[in-house]
């Protein structure tokens, strides 16, 4: 069913209709479209533009249609161009031509961006909820291994010994930033475009303020032209999803490395691994690998949308039809990925002994020598050089730093005496790093507690926003 055509003498060519048709993907917006239609209907009724009897009939039919859409009873047909035309067809099939009266004072231009905002608010809150579950899985695992010792890495080389709980908790911090971005996005997105019409507002006595309040928005869009052409909120959502995907990819990369035979640190649960069709011994970290792979998809969708938007003139252009498939793809794939990734993390067991044995390898305690000299008043540049000399001697003798003799130490620097050897111990080195963001277990425990406290506040906010949105979607 077309919502236009009065000035046309013939219908679009089949190829044009096929190109223009979007209902096969924008049908996801159907529940939100009905809710925004009822909000618009309320304004048409209160302003006296439609008789109360007609409004009652339309409202009842829309409510029935909403339930049929949710239950899968009403679906688009091959003749429907988009979600809006499909729903109007459903409405007029129920109550006749009076159903089309709801079109007064609005356009598909303000209608679709309103629907899309509602869809995104709904789904970004679901994403936030899933990210919080992932964060909690990481924090629980961090606390479990806060006393486990492992080598820390830079440049994929052994760097300094760390608490393994500290290593795991870093991912929870990046997810906290992602949750903060969602919160900021919600503030900017909470402006209602409904009432902007095609681009210039409406001459009818409708109230965008009333529909904004009914739909849960905090305010009305400031400029009707901007309102129908703005897709910043879609680009921002795709950026947030891409950033989350990037962080999940880094988790996936580390889990993939840790589960290799060469590392042998991580033992993945069977429920979150897969096998090989030809090699019976294989246990593959597919969840971790798919986390890496989907990040590329999220980044690609963001890039694709920005490319679509970069040169659009004036108000609405049909190019904007291209925003939805990229958005739906990213939203749905992220929601698909987060639960198994949380499960993989929660069920992974780490080999404490292997990590502990690897911690001092690669002369990771060399900085302890430099810090020892600094405490004796030696400049760090000089101390750094002396520690490097110790490493050079240890390499030449194929021994570890704590195995150096008193003569070896003195040859590197006169201030180096045997008491430095008691510092060349991974437990001592880790325990010494007691800065608020350091790797000492007592510091890491406080870091985890703070992250959990922030997570509780974020969870309360998300739950409150979800309840508010449920109210918006209640007819």
């Amino acid at each position: 069913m077309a919502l236009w055509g009065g000035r046309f003498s013939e219908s679009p060519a089949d190829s044009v209709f096929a190109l223009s048709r979007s209902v096969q993907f924008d049908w996801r917006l159907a529940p939100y479209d009905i809710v925004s239609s009822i909000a618009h209907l309320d304004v048409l009724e209160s302003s006296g533009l439609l008789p109360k009897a007609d409004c009652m009939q339309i409202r009842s039919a829309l409510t029935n249609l909403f339930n049929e859409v949710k239950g899968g009873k009403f679906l688009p047909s091959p003749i429907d161009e988009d979600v809006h035309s499909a729903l109007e067809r459903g409405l007029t099939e129920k109550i006749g031509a009076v159903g089309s009266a709801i079109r007064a004072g609005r356009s598909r231009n303000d209608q679709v961006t309103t629907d899309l905002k509602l869809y995104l608010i709904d789904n970004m809150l679901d994403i936030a909820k899933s990210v919080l579950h992932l964060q909690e899985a990481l924090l629980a695992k961090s606390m479990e291994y806060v006393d486990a010792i492992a080598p820390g890495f830079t440049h994929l080389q052994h760097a300094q010994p760390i608490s393994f709980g500290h290593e795991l908790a870093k991912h929870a911090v990046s997810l906290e930033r992602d949750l903060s971005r969602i919160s900021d996005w919600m503030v900017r997105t909470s402006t209602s475009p409904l009432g902007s019409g095609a681009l210039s507002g409406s001459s009818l006595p409708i109230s965008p303020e009333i529909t904004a309040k009914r739909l849960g928005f905090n305010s009305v869009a400031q400029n009707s032209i901007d309102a129908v052409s703005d897709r910043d909120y879609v680009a921002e959502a795709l950026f947030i999803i891409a950033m989350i995907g990037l962080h999940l990819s880094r988790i996936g990369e580390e889990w993939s490395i840790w589960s290799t035979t060469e590392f042998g640190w991580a033992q993945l649960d069977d429920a979150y691994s897969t096998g090989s069709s030809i090699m019976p011994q294989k246990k593959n970290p597919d969840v971790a690998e798919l986390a890496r792979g989907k990040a590329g998809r999220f980044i690609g969708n963001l890039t694709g949308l920005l490319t679509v938007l970069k040169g659009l003139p004036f108000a609405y252009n049909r190019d904007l039809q291209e925003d939805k498939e990229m958005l739906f793809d990213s939203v749905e794939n992220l929601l698909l990925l987060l639960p198994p990734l949380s499960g993989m993390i929660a069920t992974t067991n780490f080999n404490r002994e292997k990590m502990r044995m690897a911690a001092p390898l690669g002369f990771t305690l060399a900085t302890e020598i430099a810090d020892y000299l600094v405490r004796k008043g030696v400049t760090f540049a000089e101390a750094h050089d002396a520690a490097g000399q110790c490493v050079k001697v240890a390499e030449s003798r194929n021994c570890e730093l704590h195995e150096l003799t008193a003569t070896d130490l003195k040859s590197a620097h006169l201030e180096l005496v045997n008491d430095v050897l008691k510092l060349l111990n991974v437990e001592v080195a880790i325990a010494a790093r007691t800065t608020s963001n350091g790797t000492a277990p007592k510091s890491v425990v406080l870091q985890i507690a703070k992250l959990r406290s922030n997570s509780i506040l974020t969870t309360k906010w998300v739950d409150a926003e979800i309840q508010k949105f449920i109210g918006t979607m209640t007819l």
Side-chain angles (χ1 to χ4, degrees), residues 239-346:
F239 171 76
I240 293 168
I241 290 171
M243 284 301 300
I244 294 171
L246 185 151
H247 294 144
L248 304 189
S249 178
R250 295 178 71 173
I251 292 171
E253 174 72 359
E254 289 182 0
W255 250 256
S256 296
I257 290 172
W258 290 334
S259 64
T260 60
T261 302
E262 286 72 20
F263 265 73
W265 290 10
Q267 180 66 37
L268 302 186
D269 191 88
D270 286 357
Y272 295 94
S273 307
T274 64
S276 165
S277 60
I278 191 173
M279 297 170 285
Q281 84 283 5
K282 291 298 295 296
K283 187 175 182 180
N284 300 323
D286 281 21
V287 173
E289 291 171 350
L290 284 167
R292 284 190 321 217
K294 287 194 182 292
R297 188 170 184 160
F298 301 145
I299 293 166
N301 285 335
L302 169 62
T303 305
L305 178 71
L306 293 175
T307 306
V308 169
L309 299 178
K310 70 175 182 60
L312 295 185
F314 307 122
Y316 182 84
N317 295 270
R318 192 58 182 272
D319 312 49
L320 292 176
Q321 179 174 302
E322 294 300 311
D323 61 358
K324 295 170 194 62
E325 288 178 282
M326 292 180 275
L327 177 64
F328 298 151
D329 181 78
S330 284
V331 166
E332 291 167 11
N333 273 280
L334 182 56
L335 287 170
L336 184 68
L337 172 62
L338 284 163
L341 195 64
S342 298
M344 180 194 76
I345 289 167

Side-chain angles (χ1 to χ4, degrees), residues 339-356:
L341 195 64
S342 298
M344 180 194 76
I345 289 167
T347 57
T348 299
N349 289 314
F350 291 96
N351 189 319
R352 291 171 177 265
E353 185 56 29
K354 273 197 172 184
M355 293 191 296
R356 169 65 180 79

